[in-house]
Amino acid sequence: MPKGMGKGFIHGFSKTPEYRIWAAAKDRCFSKTCVSYKNYGGRGITMCDKWRRDFTAFIADVGWRPSKQHTLDRTDNDGNYEPGNVKWVSVIEQANNQRRTLTITHNGKTMPLRMWATKVGLPYSAMYYRLKSGSPIAKILSRSEWSKGRSNPSRFITANGQTKSLAEWSRTTGLTSSRIQRRIDELGWTPEKAITPRHK
């Protein structure tokens, strides 16, 4: 825990990655305007009162993330953001854990997402991200819907707690809108990684 952070500490960490991740998790649980609310708060997933009220309580229980490659993960995917069910894991570890268990049902047929990806001929990683972002399953499995979503500068992307259009992210990062969108849709990168210029 950084020097100066004590029991009575209130301000100073609002610009840290951990704070943004904590705030985003709260939004998914409590903000009905959040694009991912239906997959979290909408199906009963919440954040314990202690963490919801106090970022420092969250950090005291979970700790600071070990590296930029780590993200927040719930051990029980149907469980809440609360002590004992939340930890920092690498992006690869999180993806591997979820790939083994994630299944979806479409037109009365249930299969693992990986099998759906093979069946429809679309990249698993990008389908996984779109599903987690709240896209309707029918659109995720439709090749024509994927084509519609490309090269769309007005599309909105949320990264690091900020929501901007692809055109705005392009101006901010110096990357083209199509490059950012390709990184997300075809390569399955997280928005945070997709808007980082150093990733070629």
Coordinates of all heavy atoms in Angstrom, one line a residue, residues 9 17 68 78 94 101 110 112-113 135 142 149 164:
F9 N -7.5 8.0 5.2 CA -7.2 8.6 3.9 C -8.4 8.6 3.0 O -9.2 7.7 3.0 CB -6.1 7.7 3.2 CG -5.7 8.2 1.9 CD1 -4.7 9.1 1.8 CD2 -6.4 7.9 0.7 CE1 -4.3 9.7 0.6 CE2 -6.0 8.4 -0.5 CZ -4.9 9.3 -0.6
P17 N -4.9 3.2 -12.0 CA -5.6 2.1 -12.7 C -6.6 1.3 -11.8 O -7.7 0.9 -12.2 CB -4.5 1.2 -13.3 CG -3.3 2.1 -13.3 CD -3.4 3.1 -12.1
K68 N 0.6 -4.4 -15.1 CA -0.4 -3.9 -16.1 C -1.1 -5.0 -16.8 O -2.1 -4.8 -17.5 CB 0.3 -3.0 -17.1 CG 0.9 -1.7 -16.5 CD 1.5 -0.8 -17.5 CE 2.1 0.4 -16.9 NZ 2.7 1.3 -18.0
D78 N -20.7 -16.2 -11.1 CA -22.1 -15.8 -10.8 C -22.1 -15.2 -9.4 O -23.1 -14.8 -8.9 CB -23.0 -17.0 -10.7 CG -23.2 -17.6 -12.1 OD1 -23.4 -16.8 -13.1 OD2 -23.3 -18.8 -12.3
Q94 N -7.1 -15.3 -17.0 CA -8.5 -15.1 -17.0 C -9.2 -15.7 -18.2 O -10.3 -16.3 -18.1 CB -8.8 -13.6 -16.9 CG -10.3 -13.3 -16.7 CD -10.6 -11.8 -16.7 OE1 -10.1 -11.1 -17.6 NE2 -11.3 -11.4 -15.7
T101 N -15.2 -22.8 -19.4 CA -16.6 -22.9 -18.8 C -17.7 -22.2 -19.6 O -18.8 -22.4 -19.4 CB -16.6 -22.5 -17.4 OG1 -16.1 -21.1 -17.3 CG2 -15.6 -23.3 -16.5
T110 N -27.2 -25.4 -27.1 CA -26.2 -24.9 -26.2 C -24.8 -25.6 -26.5 O -24.7 -26.8 -26.5 CB -26.6 -25.2 -24.7 OG1 -27.8 -24.6 -24.4 CG2 -25.5 -24.7 -23.7
P112 N -20.2 -24.7 -25.9 CA -19.2 -23.8 -25.5 C -18.9 -22.8 -26.5 O -19.0 -23.0 -27.8 CB -17.9 -24.7 -25.3 CG -18.5 -26.1 -25.1 CD -19.7 -26.1 -26.0
L113 N -18.5 -21.6 -26.1 CA -18.3 -20.5 -27.0 C -17.2 -20.9 -28.0 O -17.3 -20.5 -29.2 CB -17.9 -19.2 -26.3 CG -17.7 -18.0 -27.1 CD1 -18.9 -17.6 -27.9 CD2 -17.2 -16.8 -26.3
S135 N -23.0 -7.6 -26.1 CA -23.6 -7.7 -27.4 C -24.6 -8.9 -27.4 O -24.3 -9.9 -26.8 CB -22.5 -7.9 -28.5 OG -21.7 -6.8 -28.5
S142 N -23.4 -13.8 -35.9 CA -23.7 -13.4 -37.3 C -22.5 -12.8 -38.0 O -22.0 -11.8 -37.6 CB -24.9 -12.5 -37.4 OG -25.1 -11.9 -38.7
G149 N -19.9 -3.9 -38.3 CA -19.3 -3.1 -37.2 C -17.9 -2.6 -37.5 O -17.3 -1.9 -36.7
K164 N -15.5 6.9 -25.2 CA -15.3 7.8 -26.3 C -15.6 7.1 -27.6 O -15.6 5.8 -27.7 CB -13.9 8.4 -26.4 CG -13.4 9.1 -25.2 CD -11.9 9.5 -25.4 CE -11.4 10.2 -24.2 NZ -9.9 10.6 -24.4

